[in-house]
Amino acid sequence: MMKNILFIITMLLLTSCNSKSKRPLLGNTPYQQKLNATYKDASKSPLKKKDLKGFKGLDFFPIDSSYSIIASLERTPNTPYLEMATTTDEKPYYREFGILTFTIKEKKMQLTLYQSLEEYEDPFYKDYLFLPFTDETSGEESYGGGRYMDIFESKISSNETIELNFNNTYNPYCAYNDEYSCPLTPRKNHLTIAIKAGVKDFKN
């Protein structure tokens, strides 16, 4: 009888452990879930050990479809690669890939899209383009140094348009850990509107 009871208790504990290990990822969209999973993974996370220990997920603005828009691209071919200022003494090389024009909340906006020399020379990252920006939430609700959005050249349509989804933005790693070197958002990429979408500032 005692053996049967111990067996039942053991099975209940195992079931409980398995259900905890299969706990759904935090986040309201696949993008948020993937980002949270990366930050929770000690082998990939930029978080300091003390912040990783109690990490329960990043803070996001509510999902807002009005911040997912189509932008037109005017390419700027043959622009030189120039040093970009960072949070450290490192100076990576970027070139202006093109100018994005779009409308948010009935306001016409422009952002400069960049291409990293290091990534362009790497076959794995050659498709990556870099879009840093600040807005009227920067330094208050969102990180003061701005936020980033990954753009892929292969996603640019034949009529030179691309989807910009500000819900899918992320902070530079130096927002979480000052050991990282992060490109500073150029002044020309400040949006004179509050982009209440994407990731918020990190409160450690």
Side-chain angles (χ1 to χ4, degrees):
M1 183 66 176
M2 182 60 68
K3 288 183 178 180
N4 289 338
I5 293 173
L6 289 173
F7 176 77
I8 292 171
I9 292 173
T10 302
M11 292 304 295
L12 286 172
L13 288 172
L14 287 173
T15 303
S16 175
C17 291
N18 287 336
S19 64
K20 288 181 180 179
S21 65
K22 294 179 180 178
R23 194 177 296 166
L25 294 172
L26 293 172
N28 295 320
T29 66
Y31 175 82
Q32 292 183 3
Q33 292 171 357
K34 183 177 180 181
L35 202 60
N36 278 329
T38 299
Y39 278 60
K40 192 174 180 61
D41 185 340
S43 67
K44 301 175 183 177
S45 180
L47 297 175
K48 295 180 179 179
K49 287 184 178 179
K50 65 182 180 66
D51 296 322
L52 183 61
K53 187 176 181 180
F55 180 72
K56 297 188 184 332
L58 299 173
D59 194 12
F60 295 90
F61 288 98
I63 298 297
D64 188 338
S65 60
S66 68
Y67 289 108
S68 180
I69 48 89
I70 300 298
S72 61
L73 172 67
E74 181 183 351
R75 297 183 188 241
T76 52
N78 304 318
T79 50
Y81 285 96
L82 302 172
E83 290 183 345
M84 182 174 281
T86 69
T87 53
T88 65
D89 292 334
E90 291 185 24
K91 296 287 191 296
Y93 284 86
Y94 285 83
R95 78 174 186 91
E96 294 186 1
F97 183 87
I99 307 298
L100 294 165
T101 303
F102 51 94
T103 300
I104 290 184
K105 306 293 184 182
E106 300 182 351
K107 292 187 69 173
K108 191 173 183 180
M109 303 280 174
Q110 285 191 330
L111 287 173
T112 299
L113 185 61
Y114 295 90
Q115 184 175 53
S116 162
L117 176 60
E118 182 179 2
E119 291 181 346
Y120 180 71
E121 292 178 339
D122 185 331
F124 186 80
Y125 292 103
K126 189 174 183 178
D127 193 36
Y128 279 57
L129 299 172
F130 178 53
L131 185 62
F133 70 94
T134 55
D135 64 277
E136 295 300 296
T137 71
S138 301
E140 296 183 13
E141 294 175 278
S142 66
Y143 178 59
R147 290 175 283 172
Y148 299 165
M149 186 189 305
D150 287 334
I151 304 293
F152 302 95
E153 187 174 2
S154 59
K155 298 294 184 181
I156 300 171
S157 69
S158 58
N159 63 344
E160 296 292 85
T161 61
I162 183 78
E163 181 185 5
L164 302 182
N165 189 347
F166 288 92
N167 294 289
N168 294 351
T169 56
Y170 60 96
N171 290 325
Y173 275 8
C174 51
Y176 309 96
N177 191 330
D178 54 13
E179 292 183 1
Y180 289 92
S181 179
C182 307
L184 297 174
T185 301
R187 290 184 180 180
K188 65 174 69 177
N189 271 20
H190 177 72
L191 298 174
T192 56
I193 189 174
I195 303 293
K196 291 181 176 291
V199 69
K200 292 185 177 182
D201 197 6
F202 181 64
K203 307 296 183 183
N204 54 11

